[in-house]
Amino acid sequence: MVEQGSLTRSQERRAGTTSGYPMLGIAAVLVAVGVATIWRLANDLAPPIMALVPLACALGTVFIAAGFYMLQPNQAAAVTLFGSYAGTDRVAGLRWVLPWLMRRKISVRANNVISDRIKVNDLRGNPIEMAAQVVWRVTDTAQALFDVDDYKAFVMVQVEAAVRTIGSRYPYDDYEHQEVTLRGNHDQVGAELRTELIARLLVAGITVDECGFTHLAYAQEIAGAMLRRQQAQAVVAARTTLVEGAVGMVELALAQLSAKNVVELDDERRAAMVSNLMVVLCGERDTQPVVNAGSLYQ
């Protein structure tokens, strides 16, 4: 163990345990010997002193039976001796250890947790609601059991703290697409959330395999205003694209008319034609064509 300030940091090591199958065989032999001795004594085939043999066999069987325990795949057992950590056994199957050594089982499988929705102020101070999904597992059983009081509750608290930290680092959205945002950069923000969680859970011997946001939205008190803002931004962006396209089409039309000598237009008629084309291309309603039966200037 390594001293770090007021906290004694534990570190997992291998426990001095053994397979339970040889010990099970020894227990079976002791039972057989005890039964055979009792039969011999009952039939006066053994001296009375042999009565100690069944007693010794019974004590030996109880001693062996007290040391048995079983581990499933991806399960571990932390072994302690009078409160002192003696190592961890990660071998699955029937196991045996000296009976006076206590065993505390702990799962090292992957766990999936979804945090509650919490309200966070983003980088610009807008209140948003966030929730995260985290896949975590225990990597150091000694730290998980002995360095924190309840490692599962510790995970939940640190997930919420990490979500708040990451949520306050970035804006929810950026309409100019010049910043990293929570809504537009899920992979980058999720990777940073994972890094933050790994650093926070290191003290508990826990790592994070995967994480991401399951809920991300403006808080209810500003959701309506932000929705109108998004709609306005979308309308402006659409209009900008429409005008840029219309200008290009007008330029192309004028250039082709001039190149092919279809019609000669003075500046005034050219301006009128540009105005009419822009109205047709940018208008929200369908235009009604007017047929000019006279000359170009009537």
Side-chain angles (χ1 to χ4, degrees):
M1 296 186 180
V2 181
E3 291 285 348
Q4 287 191 346
S6 59
L7 176 66
T8 301
R9 182 179 177 183
S10 305
Q11 187 174 7
E12 180 179 322
R13 61 178 183 271
R14 186 174 180 179
T17 61
T18 185
S19 173
Y21 297 104
M23 302 305 296
L24 183 62
I26 294 174
V29 170
L30 291 176
V31 171
V33 170
V35 171
T37 304
I38 292 174
W39 181 84
R40 289 173 62 84
L41 288 171
N43 291 276
D44 295 328
L45 299 177
I49 192 65
M50 293 297 293
L52 296 176
V53 174
L55 179 60
C57 290
L59 293 176
T61 302
V62 171
F63 175 83
I64 293 175
F68 284 122
Y69 63 97
M70 295 186 66
L71 291 179
Q72 298 178 359
N74 294 315
Q75 190 178 41
V79 180
T80 57
L81 175 62
F82 306 122
S84 177
Y85 175 63
T88 297
D89 185 11
R90 286 177 175 258
V91 181
L94 181 63
R95 306 294 296 168
W96 189 86
V97 72
L98 292 173
W100 51 80
L101 294 174
M102 304 300 295
R103 288 86 66 188
R104 184 175 176 182
K105 294 182 181 180
I106 179 173
S107 173
V108 292
R109 301 164 182 162
N111 295 268
N112 186 60
V113 62
I114 298 178
S115 67
D116 296 331
R117 294 183 183 181
I118 58 175
K119 188 177 293 184
V120 184
N121 290 332
D122 71 355
L123 183 63
R124 294 171 181 165
N126 297 319
I128 59 176
E129 293 181 348
M130 303 179 68
Q133 170 263 340
V134 178
V135 178
W136 61 273
R137 57 186 171 85
V138 174
T139 57
D140 192 305
T141 57
Q143 286 184 282
L145 291 175
F146 307 121
D147 288 2
V148 294
D149 187 54
D150 186 341
Y151 67 94
K152 292 184 178 180
F154 184 80
V155 169
M156 294 300 299
V157 172
Q158 294 303 321
V159 167
E160 180 177 341
V163 170
R164 290 186 181 277
T165 299
I166 297 300
S168 63
R169 288 181 184 175
Y170 300 101
Y172 174 82
D173 205 352
D174 176 28
Y175 301 102
E176 298 179 354
H177 304 289
Q178 296 180 351
E179 297 181 88
V180 176
T181 63
L182 298 172
R183 191 173 71 92
N185 302 88
H186 293 286
D187 293 339
Q188 181 175 344
V189 176
E192 188 167 344
L193 175 62
R194 179 174 179 267
T195 302
E196 180 75 16
L197 280 171
I198 290 176
R200 288 175 175 269
L201 297 175
L202 182 63
V203 68
I206 294 172
T207 189
V208 175
D209 294 327
E210 179 186 347
C211 64
F213 294 109
T214 58
H215 177 76
L216 183 62
Y218 283 114
Q220 292 183 356
E221 56 266 30
I222 67 166
M226 288 302 177
L227 178 59
R228 289 192 295 271
R229 178 180 176 182
Q230 290 176 355
Q231 291 173 341
Q233 292 284 350
V235 170
V236 170
R239 287 291 182 183
T240 300
T241 303
L242 184 61
V243 170
E244 291 176 353
V247 170
M249 293 175 68
V250 170
E251 290 178 348
L252 180 61
L254 294 176
Q256 290 189 0
L257 288 173
S258 299
K260 296 181 180 180
N261 296 319
V262 175
V263 64
E264 293 293 336
L265 299 175
D266 56 21
D267 292 340
E268 182 180 353
R269 300 303 174 182
R270 184 184 294 269
M273 182 177 179
V274 169
S275 176
N276 292 335
L277 286 175
M278 291 298 294
V279 170
V280 170
L281 295 173
C282 297
E284 294 184 358
R285 298 180 180 178
D286 294 337
T287 57
Q288 299 297 327
V290 177
V291 178
N292 186 359
S295 66
L296 180 65
Y297 296 97
Q298 292 180 349

